[in-house]
């Protein structure tokens, strides 16, 4: 039996880690500074950045992903670049154009909705601002499980109509909005549970609302990542490399899911994003061209004031990210080094998670 490549010991692993803190431009997931661990291995760099609130069992998958990239490298690529979506946090509508400017050339935009303390009118305004700034883009929304079934069904009807009404091919004042025009591409994790997602899909079909339901948390935070699709709760899947345990595990899960897959980021540094790009580049699609798979949710580098690579080393170009091996700039590793007590916290976490692998 061939063993999976990895560090010789926990000491070998810890000798290779760098803990960095990346300052953010906007608050995202309630944080303004993102801490991650970068691991230098014989085959490249990996990233361990499980969010602090995740327990060790869940975080261990993220460590496995970092080790895979550092000791095995990326899987073979089928394409040279990967299309990505722009991501709009739950900000005021007036701030949307400035955020979109950080995503040059992106023709798909994901908009965060169902934010605690906000109303549906805020979501509609945010979506409308996207379509005003970039007419004709595909729009997908992400509720992060924030709606119940009734609330989701009502909200999606309104948001889908808002997107259809903004169709640039439709002249103003030409009557009711057609259901045949382009509406929402999909809604990501509208409800928290698999049972709710199943019920919602049935409700949308009965109501004539043609919006695909995509599962995210119901896959990456589930003991059985296939359950939601098998139960009839999702038309699509959103998958992330680190939570699933690495790009090869992601590809295996995607093959079993049997639905269109969007590869997404977990607010990673350029090193972590490059692992997502590698996975998206290896996905079989309707061909092996650069746009053969859904636009990936990997354009999150713009949320950082500083990243671990030099400007221009891994930038969006015409709405795409290149498929390339990424390593951090040594000067930036030093300049972004986390404070000592946070480094110690991460080292302790690595020790605990390593025991679970």
């Amino acid at each position: 039996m061939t063993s999976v490549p990895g560090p010789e010991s926990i000491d070998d692993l810890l000798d290779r880690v760098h803990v960095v803190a990346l300052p953010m431009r906007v608050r995202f997931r309630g944080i303004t500074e993102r801490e991650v661990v970068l691991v230098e291995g014989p085959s490249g760099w990996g990233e361990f950045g499980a969010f602090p609130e995740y327990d060790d069992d869940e975080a261990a998958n993220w460590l496995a992903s970092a080790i895979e990239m550092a000791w095995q490298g990326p899987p073979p690529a089928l394409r040279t670049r990967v299309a990505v979506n722009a991501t709009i946090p739950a900000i005021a509508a007036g701030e949307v154009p400035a955020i979109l400017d950080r995503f040059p050339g992106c023709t798909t935009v994901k908009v965060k909705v169902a934010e605690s303390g906000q109303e549906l009118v805020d979501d509609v305004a945010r979506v409308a601002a996207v379509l005003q700034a970039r007419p004709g883009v595909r729009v997908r929304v992400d509720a992060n499980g924030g709606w119940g079934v009734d609330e989701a069904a009502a909200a999606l009807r309104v948001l889908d109509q808002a997107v259809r009404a903004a169709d640039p091919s439709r002249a103003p004042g030409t009557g009711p909005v057609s259901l045949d025009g382009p509406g929402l591409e999909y809604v990501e994790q509208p409800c928290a549970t698999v049972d709710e997602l199943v019920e919602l899909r049935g409700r949308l079909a009965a109501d004539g609302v043609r919006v695909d339901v995509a599962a995210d948390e119901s896959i990456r935070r589930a003991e059985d990542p296939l359950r939601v699709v098998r139960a009839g709760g999702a038309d699509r899947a959103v998958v992330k490399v680190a939570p699933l345990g690495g790009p090869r595990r992601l590809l295996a899960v995607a093959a079993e899911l049997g639905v269109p897959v969007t590869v997404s980021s977990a607010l990673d540094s350029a090193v972590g994003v490059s692992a997502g790009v590698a996975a998206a580049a290896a996905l079989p699609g309707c061909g092996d061209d650069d746009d053969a798979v859904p636009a990936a949710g990997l354009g999150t580098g713009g949320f950082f004031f500083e990243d671990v690579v030099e400007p221009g080393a891994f930038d969006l170009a015409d709405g795409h990210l290149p498929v390339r091996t990424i390593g951090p700039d040594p000067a930036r590793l030093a300049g972004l080094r986390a404070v000592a007590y946070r480094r110690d916290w991460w080292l302790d976490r690595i020790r605990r998670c390593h025991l679970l692998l």
Side-chain angles (χ1 to χ4, degrees):
M1 178 176 171
T2 303
S3 62
V4 176
E8 295 179 0
S9 65
I10 183 59
D11 290 334
D12 179 32
L13 176 58
L14 294 178
D15 285 344
R16 299 170 179 270
V17 307
H18 304 262
V19 185
V20 296
L22 309 180
M24 299 182 63
R25 297 178 185 274
V26 295
R27 181 176 292 274
F28 202 93
R29 289 184 60 99
I31 61 174
T32 57
E33 189 175 69
R34 174 70 164 130
E35 293 179 344
V36 298
V37 178
L38 303 181
V39 183
E40 184 178 13
S43 296
W45 287 83
E47 178 168 317
F48 173 53
F51 293 105
E53 65 269 23
Y54 290 1
D55 64 25
D56 291 345
D57 285 334
E58 187 170 1
N61 287 331
W62 298 58
L63 183 59
S65 177
I67 290 172
E68 178 183 326
M69 287 297 294
W71 269 265
Q72 294 182 252
L78 298 177
R79 46 195 67 88
T80 60
R81 63 178 192 164
V82 169
V84 303
N85 65 242
T87 300
I88 302 298
I91 54 176
E95 300 176 55
V96 165
I99 297 293
L100 282 176
D101 286 345
R102 299 178 194 150
F103 298 92
C106 291
T107 58
T108 301
V109 181
K110 181 169 81 170
V111 182
K112 293 288 186 178
V113 296
E115 180 79 356
S116 177
Q118 295 188 4
E119 303 292 338
L120 179 58
V121 65
D122 301 306
D123 298 335
V124 172
R126 198 175 303 119
V127 166
V130 166
L131 291 164
Q132 184 174 11
R134 291 198 186 174
V137 295
R138 292 188 185 93
V139 177
R140 50 182 68 155
V141 295
D142 181 7
N144 288 118
W147 287 323
V149 173
D150 291 341
E151 189 178 11
L156 290 172
R157 175 184 286 278
V158 171
L159 288 167
D160 186 54
Q161 287 284 300
V163 174
R164 293 179 191 276
D167 179 2
S169 68
R170 175 181 178 270
T174 54
V177 177
S178 170
L179 291 178
D180 296 326
L184 285 175
E185 182 184 18
Y186 63 73
V187 55
E188 182 176 330
Q189 200 68 42
C191 306
T193 71
V194 170
D195 289 344
E196 287 176 314
L197 294 179
V198 172
E199 183 181 349
L200 176 63
R201 284 188 71 224
R203 180 80 63 83
L204 293 176
D207 291 347
V209 178
R210 303 175 187 177
V211 177
D212 279 357
V213 172
D216 177 10
E217 287 88 347
S218 291
I219 293 173
R220 65 180 169 88
R221 303 198 71 178
E223 290 186 11
D224 178 5
L226 306 178
R227 177 178 172 240
V228 62
V229 171
R230 289 172 174 166
D235 305 282
R236 296 169 176 256
V238 178
V239 290
K240 296 178 171 67
V241 165
L244 287 176
R248 289 165 179 82
R249 171 62 174 155
L250 181 150
L251 293 171
V253 169
E256 289 193 72
L257 285 169
V259 297
V261 165
T262 299
V263 178
S264 188
S265 165
L267 200 59
D268 306 323
S269 80
V271 170
V273 169
S274 70
V277 170
L283 279 173
C286 306
D288 296 337
D289 61 274
D290 297 334
D291 297 309
V293 296
L298 297 168
T300 53
F303 291 129
F304 300 122
F305 279 115
E306 292 187 77
D307 207 333
V308 295
V309 296
E310 295 181 351
F314 193 54
D315 286 354
L316 276 171
D318 189 28
H320 293 72
L321 282 171
V323 180
R324 114 178 8 154
T325 301
I326 294 295
D329 172 61
R332 287 174 176 268
L333 276 183
L336 295 167
R337 183 183 295 120
V339 295
Y341 83 93
R342 293 302 302 164
R343 183 177 189 275
D344 291 343
W345 185 90
W346 280 99
L347 295 182
D348 286 342
R349 194 184 199 195
I350 290 172
R351 291 186 185 96
R352 298 193 308 270
C353 290
H354 187 258
L355 291 173
L356 300 173
L357 297 181

